[in-house]
Each structure stands twice: as C-alpha cells, then as structure tokens.
Amino acid sequence: MSCLFGFDVGTKVVGVAVGNRLTGTARALAALPVRDGQPDWQALDHLRREWLPAELVVGLPLDNEGKEQPMTRTARRFAEKLTERYGIAVAFADERMSSQEAARRFAAARAAGTRKRSDARSIDAEAAAVILESYLLQA
C-alpha cells in the first residue's frame, strides 16, 4: 500500500491531500470544515474508506525559528484523534511556508485558466498536498 493522506490543520478548515509513495506525488483532495473545534469526521471517514491510506501525515505548524506555537498543540491533538479513530500512526512534517506555496500554486493555476476564484476554498487542501510532497521528498 503506497497511499498516504496529508493534513493541513486549521481552526476553520482541515485540508486533506492524497499522495503516493511510489510516485512521490500528492494532490489536493478536500477541504473539510471545522465546527466547534472538530473537523467533519463523517466526511473524513468516507475519504478514508474510499482511499484506504496506509500512512497519515499531519503538518506541524512551527514558528520561523522552528519552535512550537499554539497551533502546534492543535495539530498534535488532531493527530492523536486520527490515531485513536483509525489505528494508524501519524507522522509529522514541518509545514512552514506550505500556505505560501499553496497560494503561489493557486495563483499560477488561475493565471493559466485552470482554476477559478471560487476554487479558493480548496487552498487548504493544496497546502496539505505541499506538506505531503515535502514529507515524501524527505522520506
């Protein structure tokens, strides 16, 4: 099994990406809403059943100096819930600059005419793909 899920954890949206260890590639999959501090677990359960990922990777938000910050704890709690829910160990990947890279990719796709302004809500999923690609490059 070479399928992985990557996550960009936020307070309003959790971006989800799917990747392939064999090809070393990842792509945006979904942007799940967060309500009352909880992601849409039902939607995530559906994605997991559909893709059957063997590995899970959560972006770890660190400050510019590489130190933990309040959102780091949020990401770690999310990872703990993933492990409890699915019984799959979670790896972490430094997510610094992932949002900027996702925004750059989105802008380039808009300029090329392959994305519309209304697709902007999926930028969190694109950030998850950036996180996952970074992880795959280092693995």
Side-chain angles (χ1 to χ4, degrees), residues 68-95:
E68 295 199 3
Q69 58 178 323
M71 274 306 293
T72 309
R73 288 186 292 281
T74 301
R76 288 190 186 281
R77 280 193 302 272
F78 177 76
E80 288 171 9
K81 289 177 184 173
L82 286 173
T83 299
E84 289 171 11
R85 192 171 188 98
Y86 302 128
I88 303 172
V90 175
F92 292 98
D94 185 345
E95 73 163 36

mmCIF file with all atom_site columns, all heavy atoms in Angstrom, residues 68-95:
data_model
loop_
_atom_site.group_PDB
_atom_site.id
_atom_site.type_symbol
_atom_site.label_atom_id
_atom_site.label_alt_id
_atom_site.label_comp_id
_atom_site.label_asym_id
_atom_site.label_entity_id
_atom_site.label_seq_id
_atom_site.pdbx_PDB_ins_code
_atom_site.Cartn_x
_atom_site.Cartn_y
_atom_site.Cartn_z
_atom_site.occupancy
_atom_site.B_iso_or_equiv
_atom_site.pdbx_formal_charge
_atom_site.auth_seq_id
_atom_site.auth_comp_id
_atom_site.auth_asym_id
_atom_site.auth_atom_id
_atom_site.pdbx_PDB_model_num
ATOM 1   N N   . GLU A 1 68 ? 7.694   25.408 18.681 1.00 0.00 ? 68 GLU A N   1
ATOM 2   C CA  . GLU A 1 68 ? 6.258   25.171 18.717 1.00 0.00 ? 68 GLU A CA  1
ATOM 3   C C   . GLU A 1 68 ? 5.509   26.442 19.114 1.00 0.00 ? 68 GLU A C   1
ATOM 4   O O   . GLU A 1 68 ? 6.064   27.323 19.763 1.00 0.00 ? 68 GLU A O   1
ATOM 5   C CB  . GLU A 1 68 ? 5.945   24.022 19.672 1.00 0.00 ? 68 GLU A CB  1
ATOM 6   C CG  . GLU A 1 68 ? 6.536   22.718 19.167 1.00 0.00 ? 68 GLU A CG  1
ATOM 7   C CD  . GLU A 1 68 ? 5.915   21.488 19.769 1.00 0.00 ? 68 GLU A CD  1
ATOM 8   O OE1 . GLU A 1 68 ? 4.958   21.593 20.557 1.00 0.00 ? 68 GLU A OE1 1
ATOM 9   O OE2 . GLU A 1 68 ? 6.386   20.389 19.426 1.00 0.00 ? 68 GLU A OE2 1
ATOM 10  N N   . GLN A 1 69 ? 4.260   26.503 18.694 1.00 0.00 ? 69 GLN A N   1
ATOM 11  C CA  . GLN A 1 69 ? 3.383   27.638 18.950 1.00 0.00 ? 69 GLN A CA  1
ATOM 12  C C   . GLN A 1 69 ? 1.995   27.086 19.294 1.00 0.00 ? 69 GLN A C   1
ATOM 13  O O   . GLN A 1 69 ? 1.811   25.864 19.268 1.00 0.00 ? 69 GLN A O   1
ATOM 14  C CB  . GLN A 1 69 ? 3.353   28.540 17.722 1.00 0.00 ? 69 GLN A CB  1
ATOM 15  C CG  . GLN A 1 69 ? 2.885   27.815 16.460 1.00 0.00 ? 69 GLN A CG  1
ATOM 16  C CD  . GLN A 1 69 ? 2.802   28.714 15.268 1.00 0.00 ? 69 GLN A CD  1
ATOM 17  O OE1 . GLN A 1 69 ? 2.435   29.860 15.388 1.00 0.00 ? 69 GLN A OE1 1
ATOM 18  N NE2 . GLN A 1 69 ? 3.122   28.190 14.098 1.00 0.00 ? 69 GLN A NE2 1
ATOM 19  N N   . PRO A 1 70 ? 1.025   27.923 19.617 1.00 0.00 ? 70 PRO A N   1
ATOM 20  C CA  . PRO A 1 70 ? -0.303  27.400 19.997 1.00 0.00 ? 70 PRO A CA  1
ATOM 21  C C   . PRO A 1 70 ? -0.928  26.464 18.957 1.00 0.00 ? 70 PRO A C   1
ATOM 22  O O   . PRO A 1 70 ? -1.514  25.442 19.320 1.00 0.00 ? 70 PRO A O   1
ATOM 23  C CB  . PRO A 1 70 ? -1.136  28.667 20.193 1.00 0.00 ? 70 PRO A CB  1
ATOM 24  C CG  . PRO A 1 70 ? -0.132  29.689 20.635 1.00 0.00 ? 70 PRO A CG  1
ATOM 25  C CD  . PRO A 1 70 ? 1.118   29.370 19.844 1.00 0.00 ? 70 PRO A CD  1
ATOM 26  N N   . MET A 1 71 ? -0.811  26.749 17.676 1.00 0.00 ? 71 MET A N   1
ATOM 27  C CA  . MET A 1 71 ? -1.408  25.880 16.654 1.00 0.00 ? 71 MET A CA  1
ATOM 28  C C   . MET A 1 71 ? -0.711  24.522 16.581 1.00 0.00 ? 71 MET A C   1
ATOM 29  O O   . MET A 1 71 ? -1.289  23.542 16.097 1.00 0.00 ? 71 MET A O   1
ATOM 30  C CB  . MET A 1 71 ? -1.380  26.547 15.273 1.00 0.00 ? 71 MET A CB  1
ATOM 31  C CG  . MET A 1 71 ? -2.562  27.454 14.993 1.00 0.00 ? 71 MET A CG  1
ATOM 32  S SD  . MET A 1 71 ? -4.180  26.670 15.228 1.00 0.00 ? 71 MET A SD  1
ATOM 33  C CE  . MET A 1 71 ? -4.204  25.470 13.918 1.00 0.00 ? 71 MET A CE  1
ATOM 34  N N   . THR A 1 72 ? 0.520   24.456 17.079 1.00 0.00 ? 72 THR A N   1
ATOM 35  C CA  . THR A 1 72 ? 1.227   23.177 17.102 1.00 0.00 ? 72 THR A CA  1
ATOM 36  C C   . THR A 1 72 ? 0.472   22.193 17.988 1.00 0.00 ? 72 THR A C   1
ATOM 37  O O   . THR A 1 72 ? 0.307   21.021 17.633 1.00 0.00 ? 72 THR A O   1
ATOM 38  C CB  . THR A 1 72 ? 2.666   23.358 17.628 1.00 0.00 ? 72 THR A CB  1
ATOM 39  O OG1 . THR A 1 72 ? 3.303   24.418 16.902 1.00 0.00 ? 72 THR A OG1 1
ATOM 40  C CG2 . THR A 1 72 ? 3.475   22.087 17.459 1.00 0.00 ? 72 THR A CG2 1
ATOM 41  N N   . ARG A 1 73 ? -0.005  22.673 19.125 1.00 0.00 ? 73 ARG A N   1
ATOM 42  C CA  . ARG A 1 73 ? -0.780  21.808 20.031 1.00 0.00 ? 73 ARG A CA  1
ATOM 43  C C   . ARG A 1 73 ? -2.073  21.340 19.362 1.00 0.00 ? 73 ARG A C   1
ATOM 44  O O   . ARG A 1 73 ? -2.491  20.186 19.520 1.00 0.00 ? 73 ARG A O   1
ATOM 45  C CB  . ARG A 1 73 ? -1.068  22.531 21.341 1.00 0.00 ? 73 ARG A CB  1
ATOM 46  C CG  . ARG A 1 73 ? 0.167   22.670 22.221 1.00 0.00 ? 73 ARG A CG  1
ATOM 47  C CD  . ARG A 1 73 ? -0.152  23.243 23.574 1.00 0.00 ? 73 ARG A CD  1
ATOM 48  N NE  . ARG A 1 73 ? -0.578  24.641 23.555 1.00 0.00 ? 73 ARG A NE  1
ATOM 49  C CZ  . ARG A 1 73 ? 0.256   25.665 23.442 1.00 0.00 ? 73 ARG A CZ  1
ATOM 50  N NH1 . ARG A 1 73 ? 1.549   25.473 23.324 1.00 0.00 ? 73 ARG A NH1 1
ATOM 51  N NH2 . ARG A 1 73 ? -0.206  26.898 23.447 1.00 0.00 ? 73 ARG A NH2 1
ATOM 52  N N   . THR A 1 74 ? -2.706  22.213 18.603 1.00 0.00 ? 74 THR A N   1
ATOM 53  C CA  . THR A 1 74 ? -3.934  21.852 17.882 1.00 0.00 ? 74 THR A CA  1
ATOM 54  C C   . THR A 1 74 ? -3.645  20.730 16.889 1.00 0.00 ? 74 THR A C   1
ATOM 55  O O   . THR A 1 74 ? -4.404  19.758 16.795 1.00 0.00 ? 74 THR A O   1
ATOM 56  C CB  . THR A 1 74 ? -4.517  23.083 17.165 1.00 0.00 ? 74 THR A CB  1
ATOM 57  O OG1 . THR A 1 74 ? -4.801  24.092 18.135 1.00 0.00 ? 74 THR A OG1 1
ATOM 58  C CG2 . THR A 1 74 ? -5.773  22.744 16.389 1.00 0.00 ? 74 THR A CG2 1
ATOM 59  N N   . ALA A 1 75 ? -2.553  20.852 16.157 1.00 0.00 ? 75 ALA A N   1
ATOM 60  C CA  . ALA A 1 75 ? -2.178  19.823 15.179 1.00 0.00 ? 75 ALA A CA  1
ATOM 61  C C   . ALA A 1 75 ? -1.850  18.507 15.873 1.00 0.00 ? 75 ALA A C   1
ATOM 62  O O   . ALA A 1 75 ? -2.235  17.431 15.401 1.00 0.00 ? 75 ALA A O   1
ATOM 63  C CB  . ALA A 1 75 ? -0.989  20.295 14.343 1.00 0.00 ? 75 ALA A CB  1
ATOM 64  N N   . ARG A 1 76 ? -1.169  18.579 17.008 1.00 0.00 ? 76 ARG A N   1
ATOM 65  C CA  . ARG A 1 76 ? -0.832  17.353 17.744 1.00 0.00 ? 76 ARG A CA  1
ATOM 66  C C   . ARG A 1 76 ? -2.093  16.666 18.286 1.00 0.00 ? 76 ARG A C   1
ATOM 67  O O   . ARG A 1 76 ? -2.201  15.432 18.243 1.00 0.00 ? 76 ARG A O   1
ATOM 68  C CB  . ARG A 1 76 ? 0.140   17.662 18.872 1.00 0.00 ? 76 ARG A CB  1
ATOM 69  C CG  . ARG A 1 76 ? 1.546   17.983 18.375 1.00 0.00 ? 76 ARG A CG  1
ATOM 70  C CD  . ARG A 1 76 ? 2.535   18.031 19.531 1.00 0.00 ? 76 ARG A CD  1
ATOM 71  N NE  . ARG A 1 76 ? 3.848   18.459 19.109 1.00 0.00 ? 76 ARG A NE  1
ATOM 72  C CZ  . ARG A 1 76 ? 4.748   17.696 18.499 1.00 0.00 ? 76 ARG A CZ  1
ATOM 73  N NH1 . ARG A 1 76 ? 4.457   16.442 18.220 1.00 0.00 ? 76 ARG A NH1 1
ATOM 74  N NH2 . ARG A 1 76 ? 5.926   18.181 18.168 1.00 0.00 ? 76 ARG A NH2 1
ATOM 75  N N   . ARG A 1 77 ? -3.056  17.452 18.779 1.00 0.00 ? 77 ARG A N   1
ATOM 76  C CA  . ARG A 1 77 ? -4.321  16.868 19.259 1.00 0.00 ? 77 ARG A CA  1
ATOM 77  C C   . ARG A 1 77 ? -5.073  16.201 18.111 1.00 0.00 ? 77 ARG A C   1
ATOM 78  O O   . ARG A 1 77 ? -5.645  15.115 18.265 1.00 0.00 ? 77 ARG A O   1
ATOM 79  C CB  . ARG A 1 77 ? -5.189  17.939 19.927 1.00 0.00 ? 77 ARG A CB  1
ATOM 80  C CG  . ARG A 1 77 ? -4.773  18.248 21.354 1.00 0.00 ? 77 ARG A CG  1
ATOM 81  C CD  . ARG A 1 77 ? -5.814  19.068 22.090 1.00 0.00 ? 77 ARG A CD  1
ATOM 82  N NE  . ARG A 1 77 ? -6.122  20.333 21.450 1.00 0.00 ? 77 ARG A NE  1
ATOM 83  C CZ  . ARG A 1 77 ? -5.478  21.473 21.668 1.00 0.00 ? 77 ARG A CZ  1
ATOM 84  N NH1 . ARG A 1 77 ? -4.495  21.534 22.523 1.00 0.00 ? 77 ARG A NH1 1
ATOM 85  N NH2 . ARG A 1 77 ? -5.838  22.575 21.041 1.00 0.00 ? 77 ARG A NH2 1
ATOM 86  N N   . PHE A 1 78 ? -5.083  16.852 16.945 1.00 0.00 ? 78 PHE A N   1
ATOM 87  C CA  . PHE A 1 78 ? -5.726  16.274 15.770 1.00 0.00 ? 78 PHE A CA  1
ATOM 88  C C   . PHE A 1 78 ? -5.060  14.943 15.415 1.00 0.00 ? 78 PHE A C   1
ATOM 89  O O   . PHE A 1 78 ? -5.743  13.948 15.134 1.00 0.00 ? 78 PHE A O   1
ATOM 90  C CB  . PHE A 1 78 ? -5.657  17.260 14.596 1.00 0.00 ? 78 PHE A CB  1
ATOM 91  C CG  . PHE A 1 78 ? -6.220  16.727 13.314 1.00 0.00 ? 78 PHE A CG  1
ATOM 92  C CD1 . PHE A 1 78 ? -7.589  16.643 13.123 1.00 0.00 ? 78 PHE A CD1 1
ATOM 93  C CD2 . PHE A 1 78 ? -5.385  16.305 12.294 1.00 0.00 ? 78 PHE A CD2 1
ATOM 94  C CE1 . PHE A 1 78 ? -8.118  16.146 11.936 1.00 0.00 ? 78 PHE A CE1 1
ATOM 95  C CE2 . PHE A 1 78 ? -5.900  15.804 11.110 1.00 0.00 ? 78 PHE A CE2 1
ATOM 96  C CZ  . PHE A 1 78 ? -7.264  15.727 10.925 1.00 0.00 ? 78 PHE A CZ  1
ATOM 97  N N   . ALA A 1 79 ? -3.743  14.905 15.454 1.00 0.00 ? 79 ALA A N   1
ATOM 98  C CA  . ALA A 1 79 ? -3.007  13.672 15.142 1.00 0.00 ? 79 ALA A CA  1
ATOM 99  C C   . ALA A 1 79 ? -3.364  12.566 16.132 1.00 0.00 ? 79 ALA A C   1
ATOM 100 O O   . ALA A 1 79 ? -3.533  11.398 15.736 1.00 0.00 ? 79 ALA A O   1
ATOM 101 C CB  . ALA A 1 79 ? -1.505  13.939 15.160 1.00 0.00 ? 79 ALA A CB  1
ATOM 102 N N   . GLU A 1 80 ? -3.497  12.908 17.411 1.00 0.00 ? 80 GLU A N   1
ATOM 103 C CA  . GLU A 1 80 ? -3.879  11.916 18.422 1.00 0.00 ? 80 GLU A CA  1
ATOM 104 C C   . GLU A 1 80 ? -5.268  11.348 18.118 1.00 0.00 ? 80 GLU A C   1
ATOM 105 O O   . GLU A 1 80 ? -5.493  10.140 18.229 1.00 0.00 ? 80 GLU A O   1
ATOM 106 C CB  . GLU A 1 80 ? -3.884  12.549 19.812 1.00 0.00 ? 80 GLU A CB  1
ATOM 107 C CG  . GLU A 1 80 ? -2.507  12.839 20.358 1.00 0.00 ? 80 GLU A CG  1
ATOM 108 C CD  . GLU A 1 80 ? -2.541  13.662 21.634 1.00 0.00 ? 80 GLU A CD  1
ATOM 109 O OE1 . GLU A 1 80 ? -3.643  13.879 22.204 1.00 0.00 ? 80 GLU A OE1 1
ATOM 110 O OE2 . GLU A 1 80 ? -1.456  14.104 22.062 1.00 0.00 ? 80 GLU A OE2 1
ATOM 111 N N   . LYS A 1 81 ? -6.175  12.221 17.712 1.00 0.00 ? 81 LYS A N   1
ATOM 112 C CA  . LYS A 1 81 ? -7.536  11.762 17.385 1.00 0.00 ? 81 LYS A CA  1
ATOM 113 C C   . LYS A 1 81 ? -7.528  10.860 16.150 1.00 0.00 ? 81 LYS A C   1
ATOM 114 O O   . LYS A 1 81 ? -8.284  9.893  16.082 1.00 0.00 ? 81 LYS A O   1
ATOM 115 C CB  . LYS A 1 81 ? -8.461  12.954 17.188 1.00 0.00 ? 81 LYS A CB  1
ATOM 116 C CG  . LYS A 1 81 ? -8.758  13.673 18.494 1.00 0.00 ? 81 LYS A CG  1
ATOM 117 C CD  . LYS A 1 81 ? -9.603  14.892 18.282 1.00 0.00 ? 81 LYS A CD  1
ATOM 118 C CE  . LYS A 1 81 ? -9.784  15.637 19.597 1.00 0.00 ? 81 LYS A CE  1
ATOM 119 N NZ  . LYS A 1 81 ? -10.460 16.905 19.441 1.00 0.00 ? 81 LYS A NZ  1
ATOM 120 N N   . LEU A 1 82 ? -6.683  11.189 15.163 1.00 0.00 ? 82 LEU A N   1
ATOM 121 C CA  . LEU A 1 82 ? -6.565  10.333 13.984 1.00 0.00 ? 82 LEU A CA  1
ATOM 122 C C   . LEU A 1 82 ? -6.099  8.934  14.381 1.00 0.00 ? 82 LEU A C   1
ATOM 123 O O   . LEU A 1 82 ? -6.651  7.930  13.918 1.00 0.00 ? 82 LEU A O   1
ATOM 124 C CB  . LEU A 1 82 ? -5.564  10.925 12.978 1.00 0.00 ? 82 LEU A CB  1
ATOM 125 C CG  . LEU A 1 82 ? -5.993  12.136 12.172 1.00 0.00 ? 82 LEU A CG  1
ATOM 126 C CD1 . LEU A 1 82 ? -4.814  12.667 11.367 1.00 0.00 ? 82 LEU A CD1 1
ATOM 127 C CD2 . LEU A 1 82 ? -7.159  11.807 11.255 1.00 0.00 ? 82 LEU A CD2 1
ATOM 128 N N   . THR A 1 83 ? -5.083  8.869  15.230 1.00 0.00 ? 83 THR A N   1
ATOM 129 C CA  . THR A 1 83 ? -4.551  7.581  15.663 1.00 0.00 ? 83 THR A CA  1
ATOM 130 C C   . THR A 1 83 ? -5.605  6.788  16.426 1.00 0.00 ? 83 THR A C   1
ATOM 131 O O   . THR A 1 83 ? -5.786  5.586  16.188 1.00 0.00 ? 83 THR A O   1
ATOM 132 C CB  . THR A 1 83 ? -3.296  7.782  16.538 1.00 0.00 ? 83 THR A CB  1
ATOM 133 O OG1 . THR A 1 83 ? -2.300  8.458  15.757 1.00 0.00 ? 83 THR A OG1 1
ATOM 134 C CG2 . THR A 1 83 ? -2.735  6.449  17.012 1.00 0.00 ? 83 THR A CG2 1
ATOM 135 N N   . GLU A 1 84 ? -6.323  7.460  17.324 1.00 0.00 ? 84 GLU A N   1
ATOM 136 C CA  . GLU A 1 84 ? -7.383  6.787  18.083 1.00 0.00 ? 84 GLU A CA  1
ATOM 137 C C   . GLU A 1 84 ? -8.487  6.273  17.165 1.00 0.00 ? 84 GLU A C   1
ATOM 138 O O   . GLU A 1 84 ? -8.972  5.161  17.321 1.00 0.00 ? 84 GLU A O   1
ATOM 139 C CB  . GLU A 1 84 ? -7.991  7.746  19.107 1.00 0.00 ? 84 GLU A CB  1
ATOM 140 C CG  . GLU A 1 84 ? -7.094  8.087  20.264 1.00 0.00 ? 84 GLU A CG  1
ATOM 141 C CD  . GLU A 1 84 ? -7.666  9.215  21.119 1.00 0.00 ? 84 GLU A CD  1
ATOM 142 O OE1 . GLU A 1 84 ? -8.850  9.591  20.943 1.00 0.00 ? 84 GLU A OE1 1
ATOM 143 O OE2 . GLU A 1 84 ? -6.906  9.746  21.949 1.00 0.00 ? 84 GLU A OE2 1
ATOM 144 N N   . ARG A 1 85 ? -8.862  7.096  16.204 1.00 0.00 ? 85 ARG A N   1
ATOM 145 C CA  . ARG A 1 85 ? -10.006 6.776  15.350 1.00 0.00 ? 85 ARG A CA  1
ATOM 146 C C   . ARG A 1 85 ? -9.681  5.687  14.326 1.00 0.00 ? 85 ARG A C   1
ATOM 147 O O   . ARG A 1 85 ? -10.515 4.814  14.062 1.00 0.00 ? 85 ARG A O   1
ATOM 148 C CB  . ARG A 1 85 ? -10.455 8.054  14.636 1.00 0.00 ? 85 ARG A CB  1
ATOM 149 C CG  . ARG A 1 85 ? -11.800 7.935  13.951 1.00 0.00 ? 85 ARG A CG  1
ATOM 150 C CD  . ARG A 1 85 ? -12.243 9.318  13.473 1.00 0.00 ? 85 ARG A CD  1
ATOM 151 N NE  . ARG A 1 85 ? -13.582 9.280  12.987 1.00 0.00 ? 85 ARG A NE  1
ATOM 152 C CZ  . ARG A 1 85 ? -14.665 9.628  13.681 1.00 0.00 ? 85 ARG A CZ  1
ATOM 153 N NH1 . ARG A 1 85 ? -14.550 10.050 14.913 1.00 0.00 ? 85 ARG A NH1 1
ATOM 154 N NH2 . ARG A 1 85 ? -15.858 9.567  13.135 1.00 0.00 ? 85 ARG A NH2 1
ATOM 155 N N   . TYR A 1 86 ? -8.484  5.752  13.722 1.00 0.00 ? 86 TYR A N   1
ATOM 156 C CA  . TYR A 1 86 ? -8.167  4.860  12.615 1.00 0.00 ? 86 TYR A CA  1
ATOM 157 C C   . TYR A 1 86 ? -7.111  3.808  12.942 1.00 0.00 ? 86 TYR A C   1
ATOM 158 O O   . TYR A 1 86 ? -6.867  2.916  12.127 1.00 0.00 ? 86 TYR A O   1
ATOM 159 C CB  . TYR A 1 86 ? -7.729  5.679  11.397 1.00 0.00 ? 86 TYR A CB  1
ATOM 160 C CG  . TYR A 1 86 ? -8.773  6.672  10.960 1.00 0.00 ? 86 TYR A CG  1
ATOM 161 C CD1 . TYR A 1 86 ? -8.447  8.014  10.786 1.00 0.00 ? 86 TYR A CD1 1
ATOM 162 C CD2 . TYR A 1 86 ? -10.086 6.287  10.728 1.00 0.00 ? 86 TYR A CD2 1
ATOM 163 C CE1 . TYR A 1 86 ? -9.404  8.935  10.386 1.00 0.00 ? 86 TYR A CE1 1
ATOM 164 C CE2 . TYR A 1 86 ? -11.047 7.204  10.337 1.00 0.00 ? 86 TYR A CE2 1
ATOM 165 C CZ  . TYR A 1 86 ? -10.701 8.525  10.169 1.00 0.00 ? 86 TYR A CZ  1
ATOM 166 O OH  . TYR A 1 86 ? -11.650 9.434  9.780  1.00 0.00 ? 86 TYR A OH  1
ATOM 167 N N   . GLY A 1 87 ? -6.457  3.926  14.084 1.00 0.00 ? 87 GLY A N   1
ATOM 168 C CA  . GLY A 1 87 ? -5.444  2.949  14.453 1.00 0.00 ? 87 GLY A CA  1
ATOM 169 C C   . GLY A 1 87 ? -4.216  2.996  13.566 1.00 0.00 ? 87 GLY A C   1
ATOM 170 O O   . GLY A 1 87 ? -3.517  1.996  13.403 1.00 0.00 ? 87 GLY A O   1
ATOM 171 N N   . ILE A 1 88 ? -3.951  4.139  12.976 1.00 0.00 ? 88 ILE A N   1
ATOM 172 C CA  . ILE A 1 88 ? -2.790  4.328  12.103 1.00 0.00 ? 88 ILE A CA  1
ATOM 173 C C   . ILE A 1 88 ? -1.887  5.373  12.753 1.00 0.00 ? 88 ILE A C   1
ATOM 174 O O   . ILE A 1 88 ? -2.358  6.446  13.123 1.00 0.00 ? 88 ILE A O   1
ATOM 175 C CB  . ILE A 1 88 ? -3.211  4.818  10.695 1.00 0.00 ? 88 ILE A CB  1
ATOM 176 C CG1 . ILE A 1 88 ? -4.186  3.839  10.049 1.00 0.00 ? 88 ILE A CG1 1
ATOM 177 C CG2 . ILE A 1 88 ? -1.997  5.039  9.804  1.00 0.00 ? 88 ILE A CG2 1
ATOM 178 C CD1 . ILE A 1 88 ? -4.795  4.344  8.748  1.00 0.00 ? 88 ILE A CD1 1
ATOM 179 N N   . ALA A 1 89 ? -0.620  5.046  12.871 1.00 0.00 ? 89 ALA A N   1
ATOM 180 C CA  . ALA A 1 89 ? 0.330   6.008  13.430 1.00 0.00 ? 89 ALA A CA  1
ATOM 181 C C   . ALA A 1 89 ? 0.428   7.224  12.510 1.00 0.00 ? 89 ALA A C   1
ATOM 182 O O   . ALA A 1 89 ? 0.273   7.113  11.290 1.00 0.00 ? 89 ALA A O   1
ATOM 183 C CB  . ALA A 1 89 ? 1.700   5.370  13.594 1.00 0.00 ? 89 ALA A CB  1
ATOM 184 N N   . VAL A 1 90 ? 0.677   8.366  13.115 1.00 0.00 ? 90 VAL A N   1
ATOM 185 C CA  . VAL A 1 90 ? 0.748   9.613  12.369 1.00 0.00 ? 90 VAL A CA  1
ATOM 186 C C   . VAL A 1 90 ? 2.179   10.147 12.389 1.00 0.00 ? 90 VAL A C   1
ATOM 187 O O   . VAL A 1 90 ? 2.812   10.188 13.437 1.00 0.00 ? 90 VAL A O   1
ATOM 188 C CB  . VAL A 1 90 ? -0.209  10.665 12.975 1.00 0.00 ? 90 VAL A CB  1
ATOM 189 C CG1 . VAL A 1 90 ? -0.062  12.008 12.283 1.00 0.00 ? 90 VAL A CG1 1
ATOM 190 C CG2 . VAL A 1 90 ? -1.646  10.180 12.896 1.00 0.00 ? 90 VAL A CG2 1
ATOM 191 N N   . ALA A 1 91 ? 2.656   10.549 11.236 1.00 0.00 ? 91 ALA A N   1
ATOM 192 C CA  . ALA A 1 91 ? 3.948   11.221 11.126 1.00 0.00 ? 91 ALA A CA  1
ATOM 193 C C   . ALA A 1 91 ? 3.685   12.722 11.038 1.00 0.00 ? 91 ALA A C   1
ATOM 194 O O   . ALA A 1 91 ? 2.596   13.154 10.638 1.00 0.00 ? 91 ALA A O   1
ATOM 195 C CB  . ALA A 1 91 ? 4.693   10.746 9.883  1.00 0.00 ? 91 ALA A CB  1
ATOM 196 N N   . PHE A 1 92 ? 4.679   13.493 11.401 1.00 0.00 ? 92 PHE A N   1
ATOM 197 C CA  . PHE A 1 92 ? 4.571   14.946 11.310 1.00 0.00 ? 92 PHE A CA  1
ATOM 198 C C   . PHE A 1 92 ? 5.548   15.470 10.277 1.00 0.00 ? 92 PHE A C   1
ATOM 199 O O   . PHE A 1 92 ? 6.618   14.893 10.069 1.00 0.00 ? 92 PHE A O   1
ATOM 200 C CB  . PHE A 1 92 ? 4.861   15.607 12.658 1.00 0.00 ? 92 PHE A CB  1
ATOM 201 C CG  . PHE A 1 92 ? 3.814   15.335 13.698 1.00 0.00 ? 92 PHE A CG  1
ATOM 202 C CD1 . PHE A 1 92 ? 4.005   14.343 14.643 1.00 0.00 ? 92 PHE A CD1 1
ATOM 203 C CD2 . PHE A 1 92 ? 2.631   16.053 13.727 1.00 0.00 ? 92 PHE A CD2 1
ATOM 204 C CE1 . PHE A 1 92 ? 3.043   14.081 15.602 1.00 0.00 ? 92 PHE A CE1 1
ATOM 205 C CE2 . PHE A 1 92 ? 1.655   15.790 14.674 1.00 0.00 ? 92 PHE A CE2 1
ATOM 206 C CZ  . PHE A 1 92 ? 1.866   14.801 15.611 1.00 0.00 ? 92 PHE A CZ  1
ATOM 207 N N   . ALA A 1 93 ? 5.166   16.572 9.638  1.00 0.00 ? 93 ALA A N   1
ATOM 208 C CA  . ALA A 1 93 ? 6.037   17.237 8.677  1.00 0.00 ? 93 ALA A CA  1
ATOM 209 C C   . ALA A 1 93 ? 5.980   18.737 8.938  1.00 0.00 ? 93 ALA A C   1
ATOM 210 O O   . ALA A 1 93 ? 4.898   19.285 9.181  1.00 0.00 ? 93 ALA A O   1
ATOM 211 C CB  . ALA A 1 93 ? 5.588   16.939 7.249  1.00 0.00 ? 93 ALA A CB  1
ATOM 212 N N   . ASP A 1 94 ? 7.114   19.368 8.912  1.00 0.00 ? 94 ASP A N   1
ATOM 213 C CA  . ASP A 1 94 ? 7.206   20.812 9.085  1.00 0.00 ? 94 ASP A CA  1
ATOM 214 C C   . ASP A 1 94 ? 6.375   21.477 7.988  1.00 0.00 ? 94 ASP A C   1
ATOM 215 O O   . ASP A 1 94 ? 6.576   21.210 6.814  1.00 0.00 ? 94 ASP A O   1
ATOM 216 C CB  . ASP A 1 94 ? 8.670   21.238 8.983  1.00 0.00 ? 94 ASP A CB  1
ATOM 217 C CG  . ASP A 1 94 ? 8.902   22.708 9.278  1.00 0.00 ? 94 ASP A CG  1
ATOM 218 O OD1 . ASP A 1 94 ? 7.934   23.499 9.296  1.00 0.00 ? 94 ASP A OD1 1
ATOM 219 O OD2 . ASP A 1 94 ? 10.072  23.068 9.473  1.00 0.00 ? 94 ASP A OD2 1
ATOM 220 N N   . GLU A 1 95 ? 5.437   22.315 8.386  1.00 0.00 ? 95 GLU A N   1
ATOM 221 C CA  . GLU A 1 95 ? 4.565   22.927 7.387  1.00 0.00 ? 95 GLU A CA  1
ATOM 222 C C   . GLU A 1 95 ? 4.901   24.383 7.111  1.00 0.00 ? 95 GLU A C   1
ATOM 223 O O   . GLU A 1 95 ? 4.143   25.062 6.414  1.00 0.00 ? 95 GLU A O   1
ATOM 224 C CB  . GLU A 1 95 ? 3.105   22.796 7.805  1.00 0.00 ? 95 GLU A CB  1
ATOM 225 C CG  . GLU A 1 95 ? 2.689   23.698 8.949  1.00 0.00 ? 95 GLU A CG  1
ATOM 226 C CD  . GLU A 1 95 ? 1.178   23.816 9.042  1.00 0.00 ? 95 GLU A CD  1
ATOM 227 O OE1 . GLU A 1 95 ? 0.474   22.837 8.790  1.00 0.00 ? 95 GLU A OE1 1
ATOM 228 O OE2 . GLU A 1 95 ? 0.718   24.916 9.343  1.00 0.00 ? 95 GLU A OE2 1
#
